[in-house]
Short mmCIF file of all heavy atoms in Angstrom, two decimals:
data_model
loop_
_atom_site.label_atom_id
_atom_site.label_comp_id
_atom_site.label_asym_id
_atom_site.label_seq_id
_atom_site.Cartn_x
_atom_site.Cartn_y
_atom_site.Cartn_z
N LYS Q 15 20.85 2.60 1.78
CA LYS Q 15 19.66 3.20 1.20
C LYS Q 15 18.53 2.22 1.18
O LYS Q 15 18.65 1.09 0.78
CB LYS Q 15 19.94 3.68 -0.24
CG LYS Q 15 18.68 4.08 -1.01
CD LYS Q 15 18.97 4.67 -2.35
CE LYS Q 15 17.69 4.60 -3.21
NZ LYS Q 15 17.86 5.26 -4.51
N THR Q 16 17.35 2.66 1.70
CA THR Q 16 16.13 1.88 1.44
C THR Q 16 15.12 2.69 0.68
O THR Q 16 14.12 2.18 0.19
CB THR Q 16 15.45 1.42 2.76
OG1 THR Q 16 15.01 2.59 3.45
CG2 THR Q 16 16.39 0.63 3.65
N GLY Q 17 15.34 4.02 0.59
CA GLY Q 17 14.34 4.85 -0.11
C GLY Q 17 14.85 6.25 -0.30
O GLY Q 17 16.07 6.50 -0.27
N GLY Q 18 13.91 7.16 -0.47
CA GLY Q 18 14.23 8.55 -0.80
C GLY Q 18 15.17 9.21 0.20
O GLY Q 18 16.02 10.05 -0.19
N LEU Q 19 15.01 8.88 1.50
CA LEU Q 19 15.87 9.53 2.50
C LEU Q 19 17.35 9.34 2.17
O LEU Q 19 18.14 10.27 2.29
CB LEU Q 19 15.56 8.93 3.90
CG LEU Q 19 16.52 9.30 5.02
CD1 LEU Q 19 16.57 10.81 5.25
CD2 LEU Q 19 16.17 8.56 6.30
N ASP Q 21 18.76 8.95 -0.66
CA ASP Q 21 19.12 9.83 -1.79
C ASP Q 21 19.32 11.27 -1.31
O ASP Q 21 20.26 11.95 -1.69
CB ASP Q 21 18.07 9.80 -2.87
CG ASP Q 21 18.05 8.49 -3.64
OD1 ASP Q 21 19.13 7.85 -3.73
OD2 ASP Q 21 16.98 8.10 -4.16
N ASN Q 166 8.89 11.38 6.11
CA ASN Q 166 7.63 10.57 6.07
C ASN Q 166 7.06 10.57 7.47
O ASN Q 166 7.62 9.99 8.39
CB ASN Q 166 7.96 9.15 5.61
CG ASN Q 166 6.69 8.42 5.26
OD1 ASN Q 166 5.62 8.71 5.76
ND2 ASN Q 166 6.83 7.45 4.37
N TRP Q 255 21.36 10.51 -12.08
CA TRP Q 255 20.19 10.25 -12.89
C TRP Q 255 20.23 11.14 -14.13
O TRP Q 255 19.53 12.14 -14.23
CB TRP Q 255 18.91 10.47 -12.10
CG TRP Q 255 18.69 9.44 -11.00
CD1 TRP Q 255 19.14 9.50 -9.73
CD2 TRP Q 255 17.97 8.18 -11.14
NE1 TRP Q 255 18.75 8.37 -9.07
CE2 TRP Q 255 18.05 7.57 -9.89
CE3 TRP Q 255 17.28 7.58 -12.20
CZ2 TRP Q 255 17.43 6.34 -9.64
CZ3 TRP Q 255 16.69 6.34 -11.93
CH2 TRP Q 255 16.78 5.73 -10.67
N VAL Q 300 8.04 1.34 -10.09
CA VAL Q 300 9.21 1.01 -9.24
C VAL Q 300 8.88 1.54 -7.88
O VAL Q 300 8.71 2.76 -7.70
CB VAL Q 300 10.50 1.66 -9.75
CG1 VAL Q 300 11.68 1.33 -8.82
CG2 VAL Q 300 10.83 1.22 -11.18
N SER Q 301 8.73 0.67 -6.90
CA SER Q 301 8.17 1.15 -5.66
C SER Q 301 8.35 0.15 -4.54
O SER Q 301 8.45 -1.04 -4.74
CB SER Q 301 6.66 1.37 -5.87
OG SER Q 301 6.05 1.83 -4.71
N ARG Q 302 8.42 0.65 -3.31
CA ARG Q 302 8.17 -0.23 -2.17
C ARG Q 302 6.75 -0.70 -2.29
O ARG Q 302 5.84 0.09 -2.64
CB ARG Q 302 8.36 0.57 -0.87
CG ARG Q 302 9.82 0.98 -0.64
CD ARG Q 302 10.03 1.66 0.73
NE ARG Q 302 9.39 2.98 0.76
CZ ARG Q 302 8.47 3.36 1.64
NH1 ARG Q 302 8.05 2.54 2.57
NH2 ARG Q 302 7.96 4.57 1.60
N GLN Q 306 1.31 2.83 1.46
CA GLN Q 306 1.53 4.24 1.08
C GLN Q 306 1.55 4.42 -0.41
O GLN Q 306 1.09 5.44 -0.94
CB GLN Q 306 2.89 4.74 1.64
CG GLN Q 306 3.25 6.11 1.18
CD GLN Q 306 4.71 6.49 1.35
OE1 GLN Q 306 5.44 5.86 2.12
NE2 GLN Q 306 5.16 7.50 0.66
N LYS Q 307 2.07 3.42 -1.13
CA LYS Q 307 2.32 3.64 -2.55
C LYS Q 307 1.08 3.28 -3.42
O LYS Q 307 1.18 3.34 -4.64
CB LYS Q 307 3.53 2.81 -2.97
CG LYS Q 307 4.82 3.19 -2.23
CD LYS Q 307 5.26 4.60 -2.58
CE LYS Q 307 6.55 4.98 -1.85
NZ LYS Q 307 6.97 6.35 -2.16
N LEU Q 329 8.83 -3.36 -10.46
CA LEU Q 329 10.02 -3.65 -9.67
C LEU Q 329 9.74 -3.14 -8.23
O LEU Q 329 9.41 -2.00 -8.05
CB LEU Q 329 11.25 -2.92 -10.18
CG LEU Q 329 12.49 -2.92 -9.30
CD1 LEU Q 329 13.04 -4.34 -9.04
CD2 LEU Q 329 13.60 -2.04 -9.87
N GLY Q 330 9.84 -4.08 -7.28
CA GLY Q 330 9.61 -3.62 -5.91
C GLY Q 330 9.75 -4.75 -4.91
O GLY Q 330 9.84 -5.93 -5.29
N THR Q 331 9.77 -4.37 -3.65
CA THR Q 331 9.65 -5.37 -2.58
C THR Q 331 8.78 -4.78 -1.52
O THR Q 331 8.60 -3.57 -1.44
CB THR Q 331 11.02 -5.62 -1.86
OG1 THR Q 331 11.58 -4.36 -1.46
CG2 THR Q 331 11.98 -6.37 -2.72
N GLY Q 356 12.53 -7.35 -5.59
CA GLY Q 356 13.89 -7.14 -5.07
C GLY Q 356 14.23 -5.68 -5.14
O GLY Q 356 13.44 -4.89 -5.68
N PHE Q 357 15.38 -5.33 -4.61
CA PHE Q 357 15.85 -3.95 -4.74
C PHE Q 357 16.99 -3.94 -5.70
O PHE Q 357 18.03 -4.54 -5.46
CB PHE Q 357 16.27 -3.43 -3.34
CG PHE Q 357 16.37 -1.96 -3.32
CD1 PHE Q 357 15.29 -1.17 -2.92
CD2 PHE Q 357 17.54 -1.29 -3.70
CE1 PHE Q 357 15.36 0.22 -2.91
CE2 PHE Q 357 17.63 0.07 -3.70
CZ PHE Q 357 16.55 0.85 -3.28
N ASP Q 358 16.83 -3.33 -6.83
CA ASP Q 358 17.81 -3.41 -7.88
C ASP Q 358 17.97 -2.03 -8.54
O ASP Q 358 17.16 -1.64 -9.41
CB ASP Q 358 17.34 -4.46 -8.92
CG ASP Q 358 18.36 -4.73 -9.99
OD1 ASP Q 358 19.25 -3.87 -10.22
OD2 ASP Q 358 18.31 -5.79 -10.63
N GLU Q 359 18.92 -1.32 -8.08
CA GLU Q 359 19.12 0.07 -8.48
C GLU Q 359 19.38 0.20 -9.99
O GLU Q 359 18.71 0.98 -10.67
CB GLU Q 359 20.23 0.69 -7.64
CG GLU Q 359 20.57 2.11 -7.96
CD GLU Q 359 19.99 3.11 -6.93
OE1 GLU Q 359 19.80 2.72 -5.73
OE2 GLU Q 359 19.70 4.25 -7.34
N ALA Q 362 16.25 -0.30 -11.82
CA ALA Q 362 15.38 0.88 -11.66
C ALA Q 362 15.73 1.95 -12.71
O ALA Q 362 14.82 2.53 -13.33
CB ALA Q 362 15.48 1.46 -10.24
N MET Q 374 2.29 6.02 -10.47
CA MET Q 374 2.55 6.29 -9.05
C MET Q 374 1.27 6.68 -8.35
O MET Q 374 1.01 7.87 -8.20
CB MET Q 374 3.62 7.38 -8.97
CG MET Q 374 4.61 7.18 -7.85
SD MET Q 374 6.07 8.20 -8.07
CE MET Q 374 6.56 8.34 -6.37
N GLU Q 379 2.21 11.08 -0.41
CA GLU Q 379 3.56 11.08 -0.92
C GLU Q 379 4.29 12.36 -0.49
O GLU Q 379 3.99 13.46 -0.97
CB GLU Q 379 3.53 11.01 -2.48
CG GLU Q 379 4.85 10.73 -3.09
CD GLU Q 379 5.43 9.39 -2.64
OE1 GLU Q 379 4.94 8.31 -3.05
OE2 GLU Q 379 6.36 9.43 -1.81
N CYS Q 381 7.30 13.62 -0.94
CA CYS Q 381 7.81 14.30 -2.13
C CYS Q 381 7.74 13.33 -3.31
O CYS Q 381 7.07 13.57 -4.30
CB CYS Q 381 9.28 14.73 -1.95
SG CYS Q 381 9.94 15.48 -3.45
N GLY Q 382 8.42 12.19 -3.15
CA GLY Q 382 8.45 11.24 -4.27
C GLY Q 382 9.62 11.60 -5.17
O GLY Q 382 9.79 12.78 -5.51
N LEU Q 383 10.43 10.63 -5.47
CA LEU Q 383 11.57 10.87 -6.36
C LEU Q 383 11.33 10.24 -7.73
O LEU Q 383 11.77 10.75 -8.76
CB LEU Q 383 12.84 10.30 -5.76
CG LEU Q 383 13.30 11.01 -4.43
CD1 LEU Q 383 14.46 10.25 -3.83
CD2 LEU Q 383 13.65 12.43 -4.69
N ASN Q 384 10.65 9.11 -7.74
CA ASN Q 384 10.52 8.39 -8.99
C ASN Q 384 9.83 9.16 -10.08
O ASN Q 384 10.17 9.03 -11.24
CB ASN Q 384 9.85 7.03 -8.77
CG ASN Q 384 10.85 6.00 -8.29
OD1 ASN Q 384 11.92 5.85 -8.89
ND2 ASN Q 384 10.54 5.30 -7.25
N GLN Q 385 8.86 9.99 -9.70
CA GLN Q 385 8.21 10.80 -10.75
C GLN Q 385 9.18 11.82 -11.30
O GLN Q 385 9.07 12.19 -12.48
CB GLN Q 385 6.90 11.44 -10.23
CG GLN Q 385 7.09 12.75 -9.45
CD GLN Q 385 7.52 12.53 -8.00
OE1 GLN Q 385 7.94 11.43 -7.60
NE2 GLN Q 385 7.41 13.56 -7.20
N TYR Q 387 12.56 11.33 -11.49
CA TYR Q 387 13.44 10.55 -12.40
C TYR Q 387 12.69 10.29 -13.70
O TYR Q 387 13.28 10.37 -14.82
CB TYR Q 387 13.81 9.23 -11.76
CG TYR Q 387 14.53 9.32 -10.43
CD1 TYR Q 387 14.39 8.33 -9.48
CD2 TYR Q 387 15.41 10.36 -10.17
CE1 TYR Q 387 15.04 8.39 -8.26
CE2 TYR Q 387 16.06 10.43 -8.94
CZ TYR Q 387 15.90 9.44 -8.01
OH TYR Q 387 16.53 9.51 -6.79
P1 ADP L 501 10.15 6.32 -0.83
O1 ADP L 501 11.35 6.99 -0.25
O2 ADP L 501 8.88 6.60 -0.11
O3 ADP L 501 10.35 4.83 -1.03
P2 ADP L 501 10.72 7.86 -3.24
O4 ADP L 501 10.05 7.89 -4.55
O5 ADP L 501 10.94 9.14 -2.56
O6 ADP L 501 9.88 6.85 -2.31
O7 ADP L 501 12.13 7.18 -3.41
C1 ADP L 501 12.25 5.84 -3.74
C2 ADP L 501 13.68 5.60 -4.12
O8 ADP L 501 13.96 4.22 -3.97
C3 ADP L 501 13.97 5.88 -5.54
O9 ADP L 501 15.33 6.26 -5.68
C4 ADP L 501 13.67 4.57 -6.24
O10 ADP L 501 14.31 4.45 -7.47
C5 ADP L 501 14.17 3.61 -5.23
N1 ADP L 501 13.53 2.32 -5.21
C6 ADP L 501 12.38 1.92 -4.61
N2 ADP L 501 12.14 0.62 -4.77
C7 ADP L 501 13.17 0.13 -5.48
C8 ADP L 501 13.55 -1.16 -5.96
N3 ADP L 501 12.76 -2.23 -5.73
N4 ADP L 501 14.71 -1.31 -6.64
C9 ADP L 501 15.46 -0.22 -6.85
N5 ADP L 501 15.19 1.03 -6.45
C10 ADP L 501 14.07 1.21 -5.79
#
Side-chain angles (χ1 to χ4, degrees):
K15 168 174 162 176
T16 65
L19 170 61
D21 287 332
N166 193 334
W255 290 89
V300 177
S301 180
R302 293 184 291 123
Q306 175 197 341
K307 300 295 181 180
L329 168 64
T331 52
F357 197 92
D358 187 337
E359 179 102 28
M374 218 164 153
E379 193 59 74
C381 176
L383 295 173
N384 276 312
Q385 84 279 14
Y387 301 148

